[in-house]
Amino acid sequence: MQPKFKKMLYGGDYNPNQWPKEIWDEDMKLFHQAGINSTTINVFSWAKIQPSENEYDFTELDEIVDTLTKEDVQIVMATSTGALPAWMVHRYPEVARTDFEGRHHKFGHRHNACPNSPVFQKYAKRLAEKLAERYGDNKNIVCWHISNEYGGECYCENCAKAFRVWLKDKYKTLDEVNKAWNMEFWGHTIYDWDEIVPPNDLGDGMPWGSGTAFAGMSLDYMRFNSDGMLNNYKMERDAIRKYDKETPITTNLMGTYKGLDYFKWAKEMDIVSWDNYPSYNTPWSHVAMTHDLMRGLKDAPFMLMEQTPSQQNWQPYNSLKKPGQMRAQSYQTVAHGADTIQFFQLRRSVGGCEKFHGAVIAHAGTADTRVFREVTQLGKELEKIGSRVMGSENHAKVGIIFDWENYWALEYTSGPNRDLRYVDQIEQMYNYFYNKNIAVDMIPIDADFSKYDLVAAPVLYMVKDGVAESLEAYVQAGGTLITTYMSGIVGQSDNVHLGGYPGPLRKMAGVWVEEIDALAPEQRNKIRFADGTEEECRLVCDLMHLEGAEEIAQYESDFYAGMTAVAKNQFGKGTVYYVGTDLSESGLAKVLAMAADSAAIQPVIGEATALEITKRQADGEDLYFIINFKDEEIPLPAVFDGKEDILTGEKVQGGEMLKKYGLRIVSVPRA
Amino acid sequence: MQPKFKKMLYGGDYNPNQWPKEIWDEDMKLFHQAGINSTTINVFSWAKIQPSENEYDFTELDEIVDTLTKEDVQIVMATSTGALPAWMVHRYPEVARTDFEGRHHKFGHRHNACPNSPVFQKYAKRLAEKLAERYGDNKNIVCWHISNEYGGECYCENCAKAFRVWLKDKYKTLDEVNKAWNMEFWGHTIYDWDEIVPPNDLGDGMPWGSGTAFAGMSLDYMRFNSDGMLNNYKMERDAIRKYDKETPITTNLMGTYKGLDYFKWAKEMDIVSWDNYPSYNTPWSHVAMTHDLMRGLKDAPFMLMEQTPSQQNWQPYNSLKKPGQMRAQSYQTVAHGADTIQFFQLRRSVGGCEKFHGAVIAHAGTADTRVFREVTQLGKELEKIGSRVMGSENHAKVGIIFDWENYWALEYTSGPNRDLRYVDQIEQMYNYFYNKNIAVDMIPIDADFSKYDLVAAPVLYMVKDGVAESLEAYVQAGGTLITTYMSGIVGQSDNVHLGGYPGPLRKMAGVWVEEIDALAPEQRNKIRFADGTEEECRLVCDLMHLEGAEEIAQYESDFYAGMTAVAKNQFGKGTVYYVGTDLSESGLAKVLAMAADSAAIQPVIGEATALEITKRQADGEDLYFIINFKDEEIPLPAVFDGKEDILTGEKVQGGEMLKKYGLRIVSVPRA
Amino acid sequence: MQPKFKKMLYGGDYNPNQWPKEIWDEDMKLFHQAGINSTTINVFSWAKIQPSENEYDFTELDEIVDTLTKEDVQIVMATSTGALPAWMVHRYPEVARTDFEGRHHKFGHRHNACPNSPVFQKYAKRLAEKLAERYGDNKNIVCWHISNEYGGECYCENCAKAFRVWLKDKYKTLDEVNKAWNMEFWGHTIYDWDEIVPPNDLGDGMPWGSGTAFAGMSLDYMRFNSDGMLNNYKMERDAIRKYDKETPITTNLMGTYKGLDYFKWAKEMDIVSWDNYPSYNTPWSHVAMTHDLMRGLKDAPFMLMEQTPSQQNWQPYNSLKKPGQMRAQSYQTVAHGADTIQFFQLRRSVGGCEKFHGAVIAHAGTADTRVFREVTQLGKELEKIGSRVMGSENHAKVGIIFDWENYWALEYTSGPNRDLRYVDQIEQMYNYFYNKNIAVDMIPIDADFSKYDLVAAPVLYMVKDGVAESLEAYVQAGGTLITTYMSGIVGQSDNVHLGGYPGPLRKMAGVWVEEIDALAPEQRNKIRFADGTEEECRLVCDLMHLEGAEEIAQYESDFYAGMTAVAKNQFGKGTVYYVGTDLSESGLAKVLAMAADSAAIQPVIGEATALEITKRQADGEDLYFIINFKDEEIPLPAVFDGKEDILTGEKVQGGEMLKKYGLRIVSVPRA
């Protein structure tokens, strides 16, 4: 069951060890002034708590916890295992990572532990245990936060050994490994488990994202690495559960971060939390998609664990958020399913590489700043509406499949076009629905498709066992499926589904793809629809033959002019759309409009508008989050006329103008 | 004597170990259907044949050979030493390479053996021996193919030791080494052989192509590396020869690949073979030049060992070959001297990084594909004309010098302009003759120049002992020589020929180059010819003084406006053209037209045309390969009117239009 | 006391070991012919002098010294420690460096010694001693030149140990280290000195110039590295002083080279010398600034140790110097304070990577070259005017602060804008004064500001203890100070001055900067002055509040339109200008014109001109160096009418035209 906080957490990272106690008192006053009711603490304090191998010292943490408890500030308690203590690396060099280039690291940075180091595991587990034992019954601790932003990889000897064990567990025999990875190719046949080398720069590997000599091996290493870190997470989680049976446990994820299979992780997390750091030029649709993905991980409300009140420090150009922008971004987050709003960070550090990262309290140390005032306004608003919003649900009839294993496989592939990127492809499809204010769920490959009227599976390159069957069942029962070029190509180990593309999807798509052309960046083709309209396409062009499907559009040029570029196939009671090339935004919109129409997909409101409108269903009412992310003023749709804005209590007027970052949260009672 | 196959090989790489035997039977049928009569097998099977140190297992290879023999498919038998078995790297880490960055590698990839590893040598030799002993008398084996695409370098301790031995052999004393490399510079004097460090990132080296602290040392390492791999080749060749005295032996080369001195290699090969992989935007003239170079290695017909039937997988944008393109490319290959056409690969792999590399048989596994049909058409044609073409000769009166040592030396040089590239410069000159359909031989620096009426030696930076003398003799006897800026600068160890540029070429060129200016990419100069026409130049500008030569063109701007930019010198009965700057295409064409005219160079046919026309002299007839590589239709020259097209048996008509990739092979009986 | 040479050194690097003795005699003749009166010798001869551990051989050096002494050529004697002998690296691998990536190097290149290697130190010291003992009383040796172009860094274990000692010496306790580096951040607290890892790629470091996890640690490593090499210098200097008490000792610096704190170094040098290698597109203002910086190091005339007579070899495009350019460049050097003109190199090497580096004597080996003639002309001129110029002084009323520690700190900072570069910012300000022919001193952060009417401190990011106080005192006493955005942010360890930007400068600037916006490269803002004129700005925009200052200009757009962008504050008897954003050249010029006017700053002459005019004050006369670096002709200002040109002895005419690279050195007697 999804945990629900008593009140909406509003606060963020707090690291008071860096400054004297006088400042703590000042902080508490400022928190209350700003409506901040929670802090995330103890994120990077391992070295402080455990100053040497056999010594633990909770004095300072006790003081922090006491101070916050006295002030009734809720606490998200981190376990501090996201950064190793210097003494541990010095004493046990194995706890540090060996990088892709084969270099064993010394002490430095963070997210730096070898996930397979027994020494790291021993002390991480012990630390989580001690924290839970000491603070597990503190009622102000409302959430445990394990480690921090898990990520990266290690290629040391410990990892090589653990990889071999993982493989033995998965494949049982070397014959199966050789077959899975097609090791006959280039004569790589393995006769002894110890001959397996992790795919890195000194072995068969090439850096993430580009090609690899044996994609099957690289895929397995990605799975192994994701699993290994997940084991680290579970180990700490279970240690905490010995002493605290109830408080929800999470770790902060990073949106579309490639390295970890978050759908698999979410199954082990009580609640999903994540860190949202768009750049100055990130489209708002991208942010919306990422929120939907994070909500989709457990199909439930999530925590926003981090965002900056104003600027970042680590991007090339760390622009300020404009007045109102942080507020609009926060409500977008809530609209897409967040039940908390938390900042990194509450007070700017005096030193270290993030000292210019935005904070609620600036280096000036005063409440008299624009940022503090904006945080305060939002704090008061959330205090007012928080409990009315929390736990409300987002529902969608469109599902877009996001599959980390497919993400890895597609981007490990050598050919046909190196510019093909997984998240780009997902995003192109998402954007159509976003622009129409059609609610979307981001769903895993093993989702219950029957909940959806339309399922999109762009570049479903890897079709694992059972996937084609479940998609067929979905379509046969009346569902609408959209898929594209570079789908149905390989199985779970990156070996090709022989017999003709799109392999196991061929039957339901009603097409056979004979060849796949690649267009260079300066090249374009065009497609023509039955109504004579033309649209551009690029990147990849399937040369396909209809096997029962009907043509939606055909190519206009090159030697395959006249061949089908987009096809539609009736299959059982449902329909499959197959898009054979990378269409322009307007071209893709035409195809998706057809599919959405035939699946009777409805937007959140009937009226077209450039406003972002998202609906959460609360008890007895629908809450519409209406936000203007455009540069020009936009009128409020007429449908909301006379409805209550829960922020102001006013009745809103259809046609009233919303400026950039202007917003309304409107309640419509549900019958 | 150049070996000649009984029939023109048409086939390619075949790696049936990857799939079950049912498929083998299907393959045989498809081969016959497509006219495929040969396969290259056993390229990467070392691990399969030798599963451990003392165990050899030829069961599967026997089956493959039997299957092919039964079907009377010719066999190019590879020795499999192009990729190490995993067990060998695991057991003897020394067999793997240490890279330029100083990192010793583990098991991975291919082309991965340290050429100086005694362990590698022992087992590679033994494997070649065993293969020859077992299969040496199989009549279907028409060629041995040693290793695969030799290349790369190693910088391990074994190599360092072997380098020192190689140097001792070459220089005898350390004094000579110090002098050759000018080690006084930066105080690098060596007093003990063991102080010599291979020029890599941890020593004196900088990556191939860019500058180096001691070019003489880097040059010697290139020579040593090329020789070391050649020794690997010779070792296997000699091992085969113990059991098979006759079958020709080759290895597949890679065109203008920089790392190996192919003219030196060709002396040890019975027949040259190479792999032709143009990109979607490689000019056809470049491909033609590379064929001419490969033919020039032994001045004899060569094997095309690999090309793709349609697309590649490892380029950034792996476009399909258009209909007719593969056929046109194949005939271009034959036109320039190939006696075989072979594909990589006959059937697409199910997995591994080349699974999207084009193949005769697609993943669909059927004959019903465009590619298979095109392969079949070509197969039938080659069956018809193959024996008529094989062994015919290409003749040319223009020779362009291509010298790997000069290539290395020029690109190791620090200054004057980092954009100066050897192959570009060769290609600029080649293109003039290509566009005129003037036959060209690509020749080594020690060629017999007397066969040519015109010899071009662009950027002949390194003039080794004896070279000036043989060029002088050639010119004095009436030859025409064209050379350029950055010629005659250094001797064989990259030490400058003192006394004024172009050093030993100064006398015959009749010019003294006082200074060499470098133009940045945004800078241009102009030259003016005697007739008042102007042309642009760039990159490098010699400031030269005439010493007997006559001026052809002079600079128009900068402080050296009015100085000679291009000169012509009578020397003995011949003429030397000296081009002092990097001319525009049209500018260079003017100078080369003068030189070609005065040397009475004739194109293949008198009529100017945009068609590529190449002539091979067969028994009693000249075969003209006429191919349209342009986007527009082009008429067949009148001179061919009424002659036989050997593909169709028809008489062709002068003026008939050839479309893009359209072609004729016309026979003209020789008096 | 600043040393003064008896005659102006005119010559350069001479490395005759590379060629036979016959050539030496030829060289001597050519030197005399060209007016060359000095050579720098023995720069890279360690391996020659000390061929093995216990053997020294001065035979060849004796011959060189004898030859030069006989010919009465002055000698700058180098100590040869800039490149290790091969035998030493072979025998004691520790003497080589470990690079930033953690790789220990083998023998190669130069500037290759680990500064903290006891073996290196032992032998370097012994070599310097032996040289001084042997040649210390040679009267022709007019200067000692230690090592060569100190630079680079090492990250080996020896350095790690030395770093810890350096830190213990600086901070005494680990608590102080943890505090200085804010090690609480990311839980990096150190409990043992041995846990400290030098900030490199395997630890906490990131490459120079980009961000770093702990800037305080990286800053200390920069200081430590600069100090360590300075200790190497001092060790050799002191060794020489045992035997030679008088001859000035120097080492050749490299302008704005980032790695070493040259102001600290200059205190240990008898005279500053440096190597001037502008590229083909380096602005002349940049060269002028760098000369002023090198003069500023000791506030005294300096040596030009190296420049090329014509081209370089190691730049991407090594253009020739045009006729007159080398002469103009040389006089610019003298104008800005040089008392010597020396070339690298006197004769071009026969081999090695600098063989295409320009030289007085070309590979042609003759005097009959343009370059030799230009060198000869200059030689004769300097012979005539040298003693009249030497020791004369440059004076300025404008000081621009250049602070290496600030340079490091600013560029280590993560945020707000990665395109912000220290030297660029200094140069923008310098250029204004340069274009007005206003003399500028480049001054250290601890300069005596009272000498100046105007002090500029662009991006004074790091304000160390005492700096604000001395700047306040300067302004209160009537000085004019200009500072900018990103000033006053941190203290000496990169910890923020809390309480509001610009920290300790806030009071005197009369502004509070609440936020700092970053503009991406494609973004711009505008500012408007009181007179309504507008100027563009970019990169960084301070959002500031006036606290007593008056507004000079305000922003035109973004949400902070109308806020102050440039402010001016009366403070005591003086004025502070605070420029809150990166202005266009014309925008900055407006602000600086205001400041210069109010500070009554005068250019060298009253008349505006595009000529570069610099003044050196000699005994009883002012020498004006008037040079045209522009493409068009420019008239000589009227003020010089009738004054003596010391080169020609003629009276010059106001209004006479100077061509590009034309110049006059005019004497105006001083009252």
Side-chain angles (χ1 to χ4, degrees), chain C residues 500-616:
Chain C
Y501 317 130
L505 308 181
R506 180 173 174 179
K507 191 172 124 205
M508 71 183 115
V511 299
W512 168 46
V513 175
E514 183 186 334
E515 299 183 72
I516 305 173
D517 201 8
L519 304 191
E522 72 279 13
Q523 298 177 329
R524 291 285 181 281
N525 204 325
K526 276 191 177 166
I527 64 164
R528 186 169 48 211
F529 288 85
D531 64 3
T533 56
E534 292 178 344
E535 296 287 345
E536 235 179 38
C537 63
R538 53 185 285 282
L539 210 62
V540 165
C541 292
D542 278 350
L543 276 61
M544 77 173 98
H545 302 277
L546 298 176
E547 294 183 334
E550 110 191 48
E551 178 177 289
I552 299 292
Q554 60 176 236
Y555 293 108
E556 288 255 87
S557 60
D558 214 324
F559 72 90
Y560 42 90
M563 287 185 83
T564 300
V566 182
K568 170 185 173 180
N569 193 43
Q570 288 305 121
F571 186 74
K573 295 184 190 157
T575 313
V576 176
Y577 286 82
Y578 184 93
V579 182
T581 180
D582 186 53
L583 294 174
S584 64
E585 189 180 342
S586 54
L588 186 61
K590 274 186 205 166
V591 177
L592 294 180
M594 286 180 207
D597 281 0
S598 66
I601 298 296
Q602 296 300 324
V604 172
I605 63 163
E607 194 174 337
T609 173
L611 297 164
E612 182 188 313
I613 307 183
T614 320
K615 185 170 76 172
R616 284 184 76 164

Side-chain angles (χ1 to χ4, degrees), chain C residues 315-342:
Chain C
Q315 293 180 345
Y317 311 105
N318 298 284
S319 304
L320 297 173
K321 286 182 180 166
K322 316 283 187 201
Q325 180 176 353
M326 181 276 290
R327 178 174 173 255
Q329 180 180 316
S330 300
Y331 282 118
Q332 184 192 37
T333 307
V334 173
H336 287 269
D339 273 5
T340 78
I341 292 294
Q342 288 154 290

Side-chain angles (χ1 to χ4, degrees), chain B residues 574-633:
Chain B
T575 314
V576 177
Y577 287 82
Y578 185 93
V579 183
T581 179
D582 186 54
L583 293 174
S584 64
E585 189 180 342
S586 54
L588 186 60
K590 275 187 203 164
V591 176
L592 293 179
M594 287 181 206
D597 282 359
S598 66
I601 298 296
Q602 296 300 323
V604 172
I605 63 164
E607 195 174 337
T609 172
L611 297 165
E612 182 187 313
I613 307 184
T614 320
K615 186 170 76 172
R616 283 185 76 164
Q617 290 186 208
D619 285 350
E621 62 179 346
D622 288 342
L623 299 174
Y624 289 84
F625 292 77
I626 306 156
I627 313 179
N628 183 2
F629 285 119
K630 299 294 191 296
D631 288 330
E632 61 278 8
E633 295 195 352

